[in-house]
Amino acid sequence: MHELESVLAGLRRFPDTEAPNLFAVDPTDRLLLDSVPAALQVGPGMQIAVVGDHYGALTLGAAVQFGATGIRVHQDSSTSEAALARNAAAVGLSEVYGNFSLGEDLLPTADVVLMQLPRSLAELTEVIEVIAAYAPNDVLVLAGGRDKHMFPAMNDIMRKNFETFSAGRGRQKSRVLSAATPIRATSRTYPVTRTLEDIGLTVVAHGAVFAGSTLDIGTRFLLEHERKMKRDAHVVVDLGCGTGIVACMLAREREGVRVLATDRSTAAVDSARATAAANGLAVEVLRDDAMATLEDDSVDLIVCNPPFHEGAAVHTGGAEKLFAAAGRVLRPGGELWTVYNWHLNYRAALAKAVGPTEVRGKNKKFTVTRSTVA
């Protein structure tokens, strides 16, 4: 028989970034598990859906605390999926859950939905609208977050989609929002489609994707250097592709070149596929953790606007992981073009992971570099 605290204490973030200030379990996970009411007839027959479980605390915690099986889980990030799988295997609980996309199959029998609140209101809107569309009439939604990342607009989103809503009392700087009785809307907000006239591209964006249907200013600055990038490249990668704008621009400008777009986010991958299709462009899109499925020495050019956060924490581990991956998959003579906020000063890390790195552009906010494999 597993004990809850023993299971939670053993959780790891791997293959996501691990560091002393980054944790696999937070107080919100524990508060959510403690917020499930006994009135739901807790036990093996209770049907649970989990959304946004970071590393398995909600899924495995529900299995241990409630004896639940058949838990349906949606995690946007492939690293979260992999971490849950590893953590479940370590405690012999791999059979208690299954992975599902954010849609009808995730929710049809759910008595309760346990979810970590995303920081993005757009992502929350898409998730809540899907739950309201497909969950049973008697579902209970428990959405938890850290107080510092919660906003009144989140309450508004919940109220718009459920007849009953309440905000729970805080504990350890966390809080749970409760909602019941879904309102069946006739349409949903996401994905959104927008034509960016200045670059002649139609962009499709799901709620969780970075920058939504816009072109963020860092990526725009990076694209200004496209004609300077390796002209004889045969295989190019948009690493951390988001909506796939960079991949689509490369595919449009470089006829006959194999263009891949890769991201660990399901929302990003779905957005990039839809963006490529909307513009009639040939782009291969992969849901992948730092190009793990690409072979060594197989790519000529990589273009990247790396993250500098790990969840809510400012941390460069994710960017450094992408740099190391670029050094592995680039062929000799291959190039990595990167844009980043100038204060991050990634140049030394790029040189170590990839090769000689030079600044090719700089403005008041961003630096663009080219790293070359010797």
Side-chain angles (χ1 to χ4, degrees):
M1 186 71 177
H2 295 91
E3 293 186 2
L4 178 62
E5 283 306 318
S6 176
V7 169
L8 296 183
L11 297 184
R12 293 183 57 194
R13 293 168 56 95
F14 186 84
D16 213 343
T17 304
E18 296 191 300
N21 65 327
L22 300 175
F23 306 98
V25 183
D26 70 20
T28 304
D29 293 313
R30 289 184 166 85
L31 181 56
L32 278 164
L33 293 170
D34 289 344
S35 298
V36 176
L40 284 176
Q41 297 181 332
V42 168
M46 183 170 66
Q47 297 296 299
I48 297 177
V50 175
V51 178
D53 196 359
H54 296 316
Y55 304 103
L58 293 179
T59 304
L60 303 181
V64 173
Q65 185 158 319
F66 309 130
T69 60
I71 302 169
R72 295 172 179 246
V73 182
H74 171 72
Q75 296 163 289
D76 181 66
S77 169
S78 64
T79 54
S80 292
E81 270 191 17
L84 169 56
R86 288 173 179 270
N87 287 325
V91 292
L93 292 173
S94 297
E95 303 304 316
V96 303
Y97 78 96
N99 298 109
F100 291 82
S101 60
L102 182 65
E104 186 173 5
D105 291 343
L106 175 69
L107 299 154
T109 61
D111 297 309
V112 61
V113 177
L114 299 176
M115 62 176 286
Q116 279 273 2
L117 283 166
R119 294 179 68 190
S120 159
L121 294 177
E123 181 177 359
L124 178 62
T125 297
E126 182 164 22
V127 170
I128 291 300
E129 287 183 353
V130 168
I131 295 172
Y134 297 121
N137 289 328
D138 58 354
V139 70
L140 173 65
V141 179
L142 300 174
R146 302 292 280 163
D147 287 342
K148 63 183 178 181
H149 299 138
M150 297 175 73
F151 310 99
M154 292 179 169
N155 300 350
D156 297 337
I157 292 168
M158 303 288 278
R159 288 192 182 98
K160 182 179 179 181
N161 290 279
F162 291 87
E163 292 183 10
T164 303
F165 168 81
S166 64
R169 297 179 63 182
R171 189 181 83 185
Q172 291 183 288
K173 301 181 180 179
S174 293
R175 194 176 304 271
V176 170
L177 309 180
S178 302
T181 315
I183 298 170
R184 312 294 187 185
T186 57
S187 63
R188 299 207 296 273
T189 307
Y190 292 93
V192 297
T193 300
R194 178 180 182 181
T195 298
L196 303 181
E197 300 290 352
D198 57 334
I199 60 172
L201 206 68
T202 297
V203 179
V204 182
H206 284 271
V209 73
F210 172 69
S213 59
T214 67
L215 174 58
D216 74 278
I217 56 176
T219 300
R220 184 182 294 276
F221 187 44
L222 180 61
L223 283 171
E224 291 176 9
H225 298 78
E226 187 275 326
R227 293 193 176 277
K228 305 173 188 175
M229 299 174 188
K230 189 173 176 64
R231 300 311 303 174
D232 59 349
H234 297 290
V235 181
V236 303
V237 173
D238 177 3
L239 176 57
C241 64
T243 55
I245 289 176
V246 171
C248 287
M249 295 292 284
L250 290 168
R252 190 172 68 184
E253 298 298 323
R254 299 177 178 231
E255 188 175 350
V257 172
R258 183 186 178 199
V259 178
L260 296 91
T262 176
D263 205 296
R264 67 182 184 178
S265 162
T266 299
V269 165
D270 290 346
S271 299
R273 286 200 180 106
T275 297
N279 294 279
L281 295 168
V283 176
E284 300 173 43
V285 185
L286 305 172
R287 184 174 183 248
D288 204 355
D289 178 22
M291 301 184 292
T293 61
L294 299 187
E295 296 181 356
D296 294 0
D297 305 327
S298 61
V299 172
D300 302 302
L301 171 64
I302 297 172
V303 183
C304 182
N305 181 354
F308 59 92
H309 285 83
E310 288 293 328
V314 177
H315 198 281
T316 60
E320 290 168 0
K321 183 177 181 179
L322 297 182
F323 301 159
R328 178 183 66 81
V329 305
L330 282 170
R331 296 185 177 113
E335 297 177 359
L336 168 64
W337 284 73
T338 310
V339 63
Y340 52 88
N341 292 73
W342 63 266
H343 69 273
L344 293 171
N345 195 22
Y346 281 142
R347 189 173 177 183
L350 286 162
K352 180 179 179 181
V354 181
T357 298
E358 58 181 337
V359 174
R360 297 305 303 269
K362 202 163 190 174
N363 62 20
K364 292 181 179 179
K365 190 168 185 178
F366 298 102
T367 298
V368 170
T369 57
R370 180 183 69 181
S371 305
T372 308
V373 178

